[in-house]
Amino acid sequence: MEGFKIQYKGIERVINIRNPIIFMEGAAAVYNNIDKFKGKLVGLIDWGGKTINAAVFEDCKPIGETILTLDMGILVLEEKIRKAINQKLQRNMQSYQMRYLYNSDDTEERIIIEQVIAEHLQELRQKLILGNWDLKGLNLVGTGGGVLKLNDYLKQIFAVSYTHLRAHE
């Protein structure tokens, strides 16, 4: 394969890329914590807006048959919550109101929120198991903005060690 030709400070250069490896963005959390995860099984769940990327890492290397992309990100969950509240409470809640909903004091809203989150996380758990994950022996690591809102729920549903990391931690 011929490389990419570029001009830099008047000098022509050729850039060759050999054997590229492409990872999900959240994998940086594993690679930035190699000392912590070396010699261990780590289940990484990277919460994005629309999707969740997940993979099991063994000795800091992803196991191919465990890599998943699921349409279950935090915006998907929030849309489920919004629709459930609108249906069950006969409301017209809009997506722009969702960020305020997590701190709601309304008992009916709280019950619906808790129920929808629990169902969403149970569905995630089942998809991980179907995706060749054995959750019992894993150190689970969550990355991405969505995990911040769900940290306590994740600890309950998965009933294992669950840690939130940012790529730079």
Side-chain angles (χ1 to χ4, degrees):
M1 178 176 147
E2 191 174 318
F4 298 97
K5 293 180 182 177
I6 63 165
Q7 288 278 333
Y8 180 70
K9 293 186 179 183
I11 301 171
E12 187 172 289
R13 303 276 184 184
V14 177
I15 299 173
N16 293 303
I17 300 173
R18 294 184 183 99
N19 303 320
I21 299 173
I22 300 169
F23 290 105
M24 64 179 119
E25 184 180 356
V30 173
Y31 293 118
N32 236 15
N33 292 280
I34 287 177
D35 292 341
K36 186 184 283 188
F37 300 126
K38 192 147 185 71
K40 295 180 180 174
L41 282 174
V42 176
L44 175 68
I45 302 173
D46 184 16
W47 287 81
K50 297 279 186 176
T51 62
I52 292 173
N53 292 306
V56 175
F57 288 75
E58 180 178 22
D59 201 26
C60 298
K61 295 180 187 102
I63 300 171
E65 63 267 20
T66 67
I67 298 172
L68 302 167
T69 297
L70 305 168
D71 293 326
M72 296 183 71
I74 193 69
L75 296 176
V76 175
L77 171 59
E78 288 180 351
E79 183 63 11
K80 286 181 181 179
I81 293 169
R82 187 181 73 79
K83 284 181 176 179
I85 287 174
N86 285 346
Q87 180 185 21
K88 293 177 182 176
L89 301 180
Q90 298 181 344
R91 298 264 307 274
N92 189 25
M93 180 173 285
Q94 301 300 307
S95 57
Y96 61 81
Q97 294 172 280
M98 290 305 300
R99 68 176 167 178
Y100 304 104
L101 194 61
Y102 288 97
N103 299 322
S104 173
D105 292 334
D106 185 293
T107 304
E108 289 179 309
E109 285 180 355
R110 293 288 340 142
I111 290 169
I112 294 168
I113 293 167
E114 302 281 331
Q115 180 183 8
V116 173
I117 290 173
E119 289 169 2
H120 191 78
L121 294 180
Q122 285 295 352
E123 181 185 351
L124 172 60
R125 190 175 196 285
Q126 284 306 115
K127 288 185 178 192
L128 292 174
I129 290 167
L130 290 172
N132 299 313
W133 285 49
D134 180 7
L135 296 167
K136 184 162 179 125
L138 291 178
N139 296 290
L140 286 183
V141 175
T143 61
V147 76
L148 294 173
K149 295 177 180 176
L150 300 174
N151 212 19
D152 292 335
Y153 298 103
L154 289 162
K155 288 178 182 177
Q156 289 175 344
I157 296 293
F158 288 97
V160 293
S161 168
Y162 194 91
T163 307
H164 169 253
L165 285 178
R166 294 177 188 226
H168 57 71
E169 292 182 272

